[in-house]
Structures are given as C-alpha cells and as structure tokens.
Amino acid sequence: MERKKLVLIGNGMAGVRCIEEILKIDKDMFDITIFGSEPYPNYNRILLSTVLQGNTYIDDITLNDWEWYEKNGIRLFVGETVIDIDTDQRLVRTDQGRMVEYDKLIIATGSKPFILPIPGADKQGVTAFRDVKDCQLMMEYAKKYKKAAVIGGGLLGLEAARGLLNLGMEVDVIHIFEHLMERQLDPTAAKLLQRELEKQGMNFLLQKETVEILGNDRVQGLRFKDGTEIAADLVVMAVGIRPNIDLAKKSGIAVNRGIVVNDYLETSVPHIYAVGECAEHRGVVYGLVAPLYEQGKVLAEAICGIRGRAYEGSVVSTQLKVSGVDVFSAGEFTDGEETTAVKVYDEFRGIYKKVVVRDEKIVGAVLFGDTNEGRKLFEMIRNHDPISESLYVSLFQSVSNPANQSVVAAMADTDVVCGCNGVTKGTICRAIVEHGLKTVEEVRDYTNASRSCGGCKGLVAELLEYTLGEEFDQSAVKETICGCTTLSRDEVIAEIRAKNLKYVKEVMTVLGWKNEDGCSKCRPALNYYLGMLYPGEYEEESDSLFVNERLHANIQADGTYSVVPRMYGGVTTAEQLRKIADVAEKYNVPMIKLTGGQRIDLLGVKKEDLPKVWAELGMPSGYAYAKALRTVKTCVGKQFCRFGTQDSTKLGIELEKKFERLKTPHKVKMAVSACPRNCAESGIKDVGIVGVEGGWEIYVGGNGGTHLRAGDLLCTVQTEEEVIEITGAFLQYYRESANYLERTSKWVERVGLEHIREVIFDLETRRQLLERLEKALAATKDPWKEIVENKEMQETLFCDVQIKVPVHR
C-alpha cells in the first residue's frame, strides 16, 4: 500500500513526540517530512537553562539525534521555515523555495517570547530566553560585560538569572508583582524562594514596571515607572510567551489565542492538526510538557485512523528545581473564601507545605524544600480525592523525621513518577524486572521516565535500589557509555583488550549491546577507543564518525562547509596567501575569516567542491572539525617583541608539527606565549606554555569557551625538548584515560592534577606513554591529501545528502 505523506511543521518536543507515537502505532504508514527553523535536531527546551548555566552542551540535551531521523526514514530540513500552507493543493512552501505535498499536516510551531513594547527594546543587548541562539548571545555578552538585568520573576527569568550568575555577571531580577513565580507559588513559598536565591547572589527589584531601556545603540540601563533607574549591559526579557499562530492565521485556519482544535486535535481545516504550545483546546493553551505529550498521544491515534480516547484537557502540576531549590505546585494554591488549607511551616529548615481543600476534597497544593508528597498530591487532586488522615501524617512526619522515609516504598503502583511523560511506579518496576534494567539511563530509554525535565531522576534511582536490592550498588551508580550497554568506559576497554576485539560491530555483538546497531553516542566512542588501542591496525569506520569528521570539514547552518588549512604556529607565507585568495575567488567562497586560533577560515564551500579546494590549496588539513589537536597559537616571541623572553613561535611550530593529526577524546587547543604577559592566551588552553626567565611553565586543563577555566601549572622546565616530552606524555595519558568527549578541563578536575603529575613524572611510565604516543603518531596521515588522491573516496563521501546536519563540534 502506498504510504501517505505526513508533514510536521516544527521540530520541537511536542511535534516530534507525536511522531514517535505514530511510529509506535505503524512505522510504515507515512512518509514523514519535518521542518525546523533552528539548525538542530529535536532538543529538550526544558533543559536549555542548564546549557546557559554551563552544566551541559547542546548535544547533552538532544532528545532525537540525527541518526534517529535517518533510521526512521524521516526527511528533516533544519534551518528552514514554512511560510505558506496551500490548503487547497495540500502543500507547504518554505523560505528556501521548497514545496512539499501532504496528505496529513501537523502544525507544531510552538510559541514566541513576548518582548515588552517599550522604547529601547530593539537595542543591542536585549534578548529573550527561548532558544540556543539566545543562550549563545548571553554567553558572548558575559565575556565582555558585567551587569545583567532580567525582566520577569517567573521560572524562566530565575533560570536565566542563575545562568548569568554562573557566567560571572551581576544580576538584577525585575518583577512587576509583589512576589516571585506568582503563577506557581503563594506569597509564603515565594518569600522562602527569594531568600534562598538572594543567598546565591541574585538581587530582586519587586513591584517595578520597566518603561524604557536606556542607551544609544547598545543597552546601558533601565528606567522604571517610578522614575528610578539601574545600570545594565544586558537585558533578558522573560515576561511570557505567546502561541505562534501567524502561519495558521495566514492560511485561513481558525485561531483565537492559539490554533483552535477539537478533542482530537483537528483544526478547522480538514487534514490539518495542531499540537503543543500553539494549540488552543477548550479555550486553554498549555505551556507545560506533560499536557503536550498527552495531546501527542491522542493525535497520533487519530491521525492513524484510531478514533480512540479523546483529549479532554489536563490538570497541570509543576515540580521544579529552581536554581537548586525543590518546588512543587498544582491546582488551586491560593487562599480563597470557599477554601481552607492545611499548612506546615518549618522556617529553620526552609520547608513549607500547603494543601488547599474545598468541600473536603483536595483542589491544590504548594510544597517548598521537601516535595516528596508532590506526585501523590497531584494524583489526589486529579482524582478529586478527599483529604485523609494518612495525608496529615505524611505531611507532618516528613518534616519532623525526614531521614527515615522510603518514598518509593510508600507509593502505589498507579502513582505517577514521571509527570512529564505519565510513567507510573508500576511501569518502571516491571520494566526493571522484565528487561534487566540496571541504570537510570536504561530506565529512561525503555520507559521515557526522566527523559524530559529530569526532575524525577532521583525517584527513578530510588526505584532501582528498591527493586534491585543488593544489586543496585554495584551497577546503578555506574556511568555507562550509553543506554545500549550496561558497561562503563573502563569495562568496555578492558573487554576489547581481553577479547582482542578489532571492529565496532564486533564489540557490540560480543559484548551484548541491546541495540545491535548502537547509537550516535557509542559508535563514535568505540571508534575512538579502538583507534587509541590499535594504532596502525584499526581502520576508522566512517559510519561511526560524526559527519564533520567523516567529511573532514565543518558543516554550516546552510549546508555548506568551512575549510581551515593548517598554518603551523599561526605563521603563513605570501605563497600560501596567494593560493588561498585564488581558491576563494575561483570557488566563489562567500566569506574569508580570521579565526581566534590564528588561522584563515574559508566559509561557504559547497560539499562537492571540497576535494578540489583541498587539491588547489596544497596545504594540510587544519583539523578544525576533529577531536584532535586543532591549533597551537603563538605570540611573535623574542625575535620581534621587546618583552619576549623565549622564541615562542619556533616552539609553537615544533609542537604543532609534532602532534598534528593526533586523535584525542575531544578537541585540543594549545598556545605558546614568550612571556607572562600571555599574549597567546596560554592560561586558558588545554596545554599552555609560558616563557619565563631560564625556562618554560606548562599549564594544563584550561578552557576558554563556555565553561571558562584557567589552566593549572603542571610544572616548569628549562628546555624546549622537555616541553615537547612532558606535553606528549600528558596528551597520551589523556588519550588513554579520559572518557570520549571529555575535555581536558573536566578530565583534570576528575582525576586530579597531583595524580597526573605522579603518572607522567615517573620516568618509566613516561617512557612507556611516549613509546605508545610515537606509535600513534606514526600511523597518522593527512586526510585531505588521501581523499584528493583517491577518486573512489571522493565518489563515496561527496554525494548529495537529504538531511542537513550541523553536528558536534
């Protein structure tokens, strides 16, 4: 039977969850096309604050990686926006001129941040907090400026403020109401929260209405209605969201606040559905993930022809960790004339509990500091249960004796553990027993519990311990490579050595991978570990590489690539510059840019032109796309600088020529400065060398990116030969003991500087490390030259692809 054409507009959480549910029902019913305006796969927007706060990268919050789309035969167009729906012809048009027909169409355009319509809102330094681009802007501003103002004291505003504090900024939070998070908390809980956040460094300006953003082109401050002003270099507006209904309205689909849908998520136009934050059901627009996922399940059944249960609306609850503070809210939480309340308040411990009752039935609750009863209360609110003696006991007992409770033991099998995904205790416990699950990650992959906000991870871990008993300690706390295996990184490497495994697929088969094809997390890791263990023997498997490393160039948002040739120590020649200019002109390269690593970047090269560009440049790959040595940045050194004490340029060139093409767990950047003035920024590199009178200081574990970290002084040596030897031993030990995708900054913190010193300063250990390093270096070859000389590789690698994939950098 011919497949029907299904188009999804919006690559966010609600829409893609609906696609997941459709694939569960019938994976062969539809040819699926998805359009997303951002240049990323579906990521967890709930955890965007953790990216801003420096705890995670965008890859860490990805829900469906590029491989998932490819595996399910989904055509994905990222960085491309649908601008028109022709409801008569049943086709959509995009801002890139693409036209795609549909039999069924799902609109999941989400919502847009509300920007206050006040003078100055268009100035540089004003941003919302809604997507990755907003995070990146805030991170860039935090590097240059110190004072931030966040307008909005709701959850989003407080998360933004916490992130900006982590980035080293001074933060004022401006809120028009009397207390914070007025939609989730009553005044008592809000006051407790404010007190905790003030301890963290936030400053609050309550009952302040912003009327103007001050400054010329760039933000310099805020003015309030009462005439007072504050200084600010960055303004973050977190004052709410609005359903994104522009496309639907333009296309003649009925809208109100949102796109109007019925109980089966059908719009006013046949064959068109809406789901998520853009949809309005029975006059309500939902912004929390749990209702959106409920909608997705109903819509999936309806679109597959199963006229099953209808969507009748959702009772919403909020279980949050606001900047490290546990908060729960559900239903009606404010006092009223027709309600009474049970309240427990322990000011010393910072615990507050309030259960609101009407006609002897629980209608709402607020918990602060201790949210253990949250899920039970939510079920009672949803089921209209009467208040019971056992609830009284539970509320008071947890305050008086919080340590002696087993929350999961007291839960019924029908109690919901993961509110976002509707996963019960019984579902989790059965999955643990029936499928032999041992870790939180495995439970997440099988049941979806903890997949969204992550707030229930602690409960999932407790359920593992409760279900597994003595087995828990030896397995559940272990960090596995991924959800495909129960083995840790060290266990996998030990098994590869012991069983002499030589291929990625062989490792998966012999070691009992749950997913026989692995995933995008474990395949690149296994590829690296095999290459590290068997240099010269192991041939990299291109299917196990990220696309950037497979094609030896960084893919850009528009599907073109960047080319960065090697320039040792940041030094070039007139001949190289002529070649670069000629190539850029011949292949119409739209942008030529100097990088922070003292290289020249040719941006916008077409995929099919890459081998020709490399051939005509005649320069080695700069590995700007790889988990390897990227650059060795240098200052001009004593040859030209009157402050220089050493020849930094010469040493930088020697280091780069020595270690170029060396594969590492993550990218490695180095620098050599001729004196403590540190013009090459050696203090924030993976390996930084600083010239001093009579020798060199070697710093390690620095990071100049989002997770800023100053390097630690490893040692001081006298000669350039010693610098190269110590650096080599350090890099090889990092190669052999770090987790894949673990930067040196994290690795140094994890294993400890003293431990590293003990290893590489032991002469025999150092000799062995350097011996293995030389073997690894001897096996390297320039990939650009190899491809230029191999027509078969060119034909295999540089054909068209359907999915545009800006991937891990």
Side-chain angles (χ1 to χ4, degrees):
M1 188 175 71
E2 186 178 352
R3 293 185 177 191
K4 296 178 181 178
K5 299 181 182 70
L6 172 62
V7 173
L8 169 64
I9 303 175
N11 191 34
M13 295 174 69
V16 176
R17 172 52 71 88
C18 182
I19 297 296
E20 289 180 342
E21 298 294 337
I22 290 170
L23 292 172
K24 288 178 186 177
I25 295 170
D26 188 343
K27 64 180 184 349
D28 297 318
M29 181 177 287
F30 294 104
D31 279 329
I32 301 172
T33 301
I34 300 178
F35 290 97
S37 296
E38 290 190 80
Y40 306 101
N42 175 36
Y43 65 85
N44 191 338
R45 199 178 297 276
I46 301 171
L47 298 181
L48 200 58
S49 60
T50 65
V51 175
L52 178 64
Q53 292 169 16
N55 299 325
T56 57
Y57 297 93
I58 182 64
D59 296 331
D60 299 320
I61 65 171
T62 296
L63 291 171
N64 303 82
D65 58 22
W66 304 107
E67 180 198 10
W68 178 83
Y69 296 89
E70 195 167 4
K71 181 179 178 182
N72 287 288
I74 296 170
R75 290 200 307 163
L76 171 65
F77 297 101
V78 295
E80 191 163 348
T81 302
V82 174
I83 58 172
D84 182 60
I85 302 170
D86 187 329
T87 56
D88 294 327
Q89 298 296 320
R90 289 197 205 171
L91 60 83
V92 299
R93 297 183 181 89
T94 76
D95 57 357
Q96 296 187 21
R98 194 186 311 275
M99 292 189 293
V100 176
E101 295 179 338
Y102 68 84
D103 295 306
K104 304 282 186 180
L105 176 68
I106 301 173
I107 302 175
T109 46
S111 57
K112 300 184 292 186
F114 180 67
I115 301 296
L116 292 175
I118 57 176
D122 57 348
K123 294 186 188 299
Q124 294 176 24
V126 178
T127 182
F129 180 30
R130 185 64 183 161
D131 55 27
V132 174
K133 184 176 64 177
D134 296 333
C135 285
Q136 291 170 339
L137 186 145
M138 286 186 263
M139 291 172 181
E140 286 301 313
Y141 264 68
K143 294 176 184 177
K144 304 174 187 175
Y145 306 108
K146 282 298 177 187
K147 292 191 70 66
V150 177
I151 303 177
L155 173 64
L156 202 61
L158 298 180
E159 294 288 10
R162 178 64 262 174
L164 293 169
L165 282 176
N166 283 17
L167 294 173
M169 299 194 81
E170 300 171 17
V171 183
D172 290 317
V173 178
I174 297 98
H175 198 46
I176 196 170
F177 297 102
E178 293 183 15
H179 67 265
L180 303 173
M181 291 184 66
E182 72 285 346
R183 293 185 179 181
Q184 289 88 19
L185 303 180
D186 70 353
T188 304
K191 200 67 181 175
L192 284 168
L193 177 62
Q194 181 179 339
R195 187 174 68 184
E196 289 298 318
L197 298 181
E198 284 172 342
K199 291 177 184 176
Q200 296 180 18
M202 293 185 204
N203 182 51
F204 293 97
L205 301 172
L206 302 180
Q207 294 181 278
K208 288 281 190 180
E209 182 179 351
T210 308
V211 294
E212 184 179 359
I213 297 174
L214 307 175
N216 295 319
D217 295 331
R218 188 177 63 77
V219 171
Q220 292 180 319
L222 298 178
R223 178 177 294 132
F224 304 114
K225 191 173 183 179
D226 61 10
T228 58
E229 298 179 359
I230 62 169
D233 304 304
L234 170 69
V235 173
V236 180
M237 288 202 190
V239 291
I241 56 176
R242 300 288 185 271
N244 187 357
I245 61 173
D246 297 346
L247 178 63
K249 188 175 182 180
K250 175 185 174 184
S251 304
I253 300 169
V255 299
N256 187 29
R257 284 178 56 227
I259 302 170
V260 178
V261 296
N262 63 17
D263 289 355
Y264 293 95
L265 288 305
E266 297 165 325
T267 70
S268 61
V269 175
H271 313 293
I272 298 180
Y273 307 79
V275 68
E277 292 177 334
C278 65
E280 179 179 335
H281 175 261
R282 298 187 184 181
V284 179
V285 175
Y286 295 94
L288 296 175
V289 70
L292 310 187
Y293 284 174
E294 289 180 39
Q295 292 177 2
K297 287 184 178 181
V298 172
L299 173 53
E301 291 181 354
I303 215 165
C304 290
I306 304 169
R307 203 72 169 179
R309 63 191 178 91
Y311 178 66
E312 298 180 348
S314 301
V315 177
V316 297
S317 70
T318 308
Q319 178 129 1
L320 310 163
K321 189 178 282 287
V322 184
S323 297
V325 181
D326 289 312
V327 175
F328 171 85
S329 170
E332 302 176 35
F333 56 84
T334 55
D335 296 315
E337 291 183 3
E338 298 179 357
T339 62
T340 55
V342 179
K343 298 181 182 179
V344 179
Y345 186 18
D346 185 339
E347 187 174 10
F348 178 74
R349 289 180 180 155
I351 293 174
Y352 172 69
K353 303 185 179 190
K354 174 181 174 182
V355 177
V356 181
V357 180
R358 181 190 295 115
D359 299 329
E360 297 187 1
K361 294 181 179 179
I362 300 172
V363 295
V366 174
L367 306 176
F368 182 91
D370 175 9
T371 60
N372 285 333
E373 292 93 354
R375 287 167 179 80
K376 185 175 185 63
L377 283 167
F378 178 59
E379 288 297 310
M380 297 176 80
I381 294 167
R382 193 160 65 172
N383 297 332
H384 307 290
D385 290 344
I387 191 162
S388 62
E389 188 66 30
S390 62
L391 179 62
Y392 274 104
V393 173
S394 175
L395 290 172
F396 285 95
Q397 202 173 51
S398 62
V399 173
S400 62
N401 192 19
N404 295 329
Q405 295 220 30
S406 173
V407 176
V408 296
M411 293 174 71
D413 280 355
T414 54
D415 285 350
V416 174
V417 172
C418 178
C420 294
N421 295 285
V423 187
T424 64
K425 171 188 172 180
T427 300
I428 294 172
C429 290
R430 282 192 298 275
I432 291 169
V433 173
E434 293 172 6
H435 299 287
L437 310 183
K438 302 289 185 182
T439 68
V440 173
E441 289 75 19
E442 290 175 338
V443 172
R444 178 199 63 203
D445 293 342
Y446 269 94
T447 68
N448 276 332
S450 80
R451 189 179 177 210
S452 298
C453 78
C456 60
K457 278 185 178 179
L459 269 182
V460 173
E462 287 184 47
L463 280 171
L464 278 162
E465 185 174 14
Y466 169 75
T467 307
L468 296 174
E470 294 180 359
E471 293 181 43
F472 176 77
D473 288 337
Q474 61 189 4
S475 58
V477 295
K478 179 172 62 183
E479 183 179 352
T480 62
I481 281 184
C482 68
C484 299
T485 178
T486 60
L487 299 176
S488 68
R489 177 250 184 219
D490 291 342
E491 288 171 334
V492 168
I493 289 178
E495 289 289 324
I496 290 173
R497 281 191 173 120
K499 294 179 169 62
N500 198 31
L501 306 176
K502 296 292 180 69
Y503 304 97
V504 171
K505 187 69 174 177
E506 183 184 25
V507 172
M508 295 176 181
T509 302
V510 173
L511 302 187
W513 245 238
K514 293 184 178 69
N515 178 0
E516 62 180 20
D517 294 321
C519 67
S520 61
K521 189 174 181 181
C522 64
R523 283 206 311 270
L526 292 176
N527 182 74
Y528 169 75
Y529 295 141
L530 287 166
M532 179 268 293
L533 291 170
Y534 304 119
E537 296 180 55
Y538 175 70
E539 288 289 335
E540 278 194 332
E541 300 178 19
S542 62
D543 290 344
S544 296
L545 294 171
F546 290 115
V547 68
N548 290 338
E549 294 171 286
R550 190 162 64 244
L551 298 180
H552 303 284
N554 269 329
I555 192 167
Q556 305 302 305
D558 63 354
T560 62
Y561 291 79
S562 69
V563 172
V564 182
R566 180 75 69 186
M567 292 179 176
Y568 299 101
V571 177
T572 187
T573 64
E575 182 185 2
Q576 287 180 342
L577 293 174
R578 286 191 194 96
K579 284 183 179 180
I580 291 170
D582 290 343
V583 166
E585 194 171 70
K586 179 176 179 179
Y587 292 97
N588 297 312
V589 176
M591 180 179 285
I592 305 171
K593 200 168 192 315
L594 299 179
T595 74
Q598 300 175 334
R599 304 301 141 103
I600 294 177
D601 192 352
L602 305 178
L603 289 149
V605 179
K606 296 175 183 176
K607 180 182 177 182
E608 60 269 23
D609 288 339
L610 286 172
K612 292 176 282 188
V613 168
W614 299 337
E616 293 181 36
L617 283 174
M619 299 168 69
S621 168
Y623 273 71
Y625 49 82
K627 313 295 180 289
L629 174 63
R630 297 271 179 103
T631 60
V632 180
K633 189 174 182 178
T634 65
C635 65
V636 296
K638 70 177 183 181
Q639 185 179 358
F640 294 101
C641 179
R642 56 198 175 94
F643 299 106
T645 62
Q646 303 287 354
D647 192 346
S648 56
T649 305
K650 174 176 174 288
L651 178 56
I653 292 171
E654 289 178 359
L655 283 165
E656 190 159 351
K657 287 187 174 181
K658 176 69 177 178
F659 301 118
E660 67 173 321
R661 301 192 293 270
L662 180 68
K663 293 293 182 72
T664 46
H666 211 303
K667 61 187 175 186
V668 169
K669 297 181 180 181
M670 298 169 61
V672 184
S673 299
C675 74
R677 289 172 177 263
N678 226 332
C679 293
E681 302 170 337
S682 300
I684 52 171
K685 301 297 182 188
D686 296 278
V687 179
I689 317 298
V690 178
V692 293
E693 287 295 338
W696 302 90
E697 294 177 338
I698 303 176
Y699 292 84
V700 296
N703 191 328
T706 304
H707 308 275
L708 187 65
R709 184 183 191 273
D712 296 321
L713 178 61
L714 180 66
C715 64
T716 303
V717 299
Q718 293 183 336
T719 67
E720 294 176 1
E721 292 73 22
E722 288 176 295
V723 170
I724 294 172
E725 183 176 310
I726 294 296
T727 299
F730 173 82
L731 288 175
Q732 184 62 15
Y733 189 51
Y734 167 57
R735 294 181 74 238
E736 294 180 357
S737 60
N739 297 317
Y740 184 66
L741 297 184
E742 183 177 27
R743 290 296 300 269
T744 61
S745 53
K746 298 290 186 184
W747 175 70
V748 169
E749 288 181 350
R750 179 170 63 84
V751 304
L753 185 66
E754 285 305 316
H755 171 73
I756 295 170
R757 284 174 175 156
E758 289 174 6
V759 171
I760 67 176
F761 292 161
D762 179 87
L763 293 179
E764 177 57 24
T765 303
R766 189 195 308 173
R767 184 193 67 76
Q768 293 174 7
L769 286 169
L770 292 172
E771 187 177 284
R772 294 193 292 272
L773 175 69
E774 290 299 328
K775 189 174 181 181
L777 289 169
T780 65
K781 48 193 172 185
D782 179 41
W784 288 1
K785 182 179 179 182
E786 183 183 16
I787 291 169
V788 165
E789 296 174 351
N790 189 319
K791 294 296 182 185
E792 185 179 342
M793 290 182 70
Q794 292 179 33
E795 292 173 4
T796 301
L797 290 172
F798 298 94
C799 59
D800 289 331
V801 290
Q802 281 187 321
I803 301 178
K804 297 184 286 183
V805 284
V807 198
H808 204 292
R809 300 260 170 115

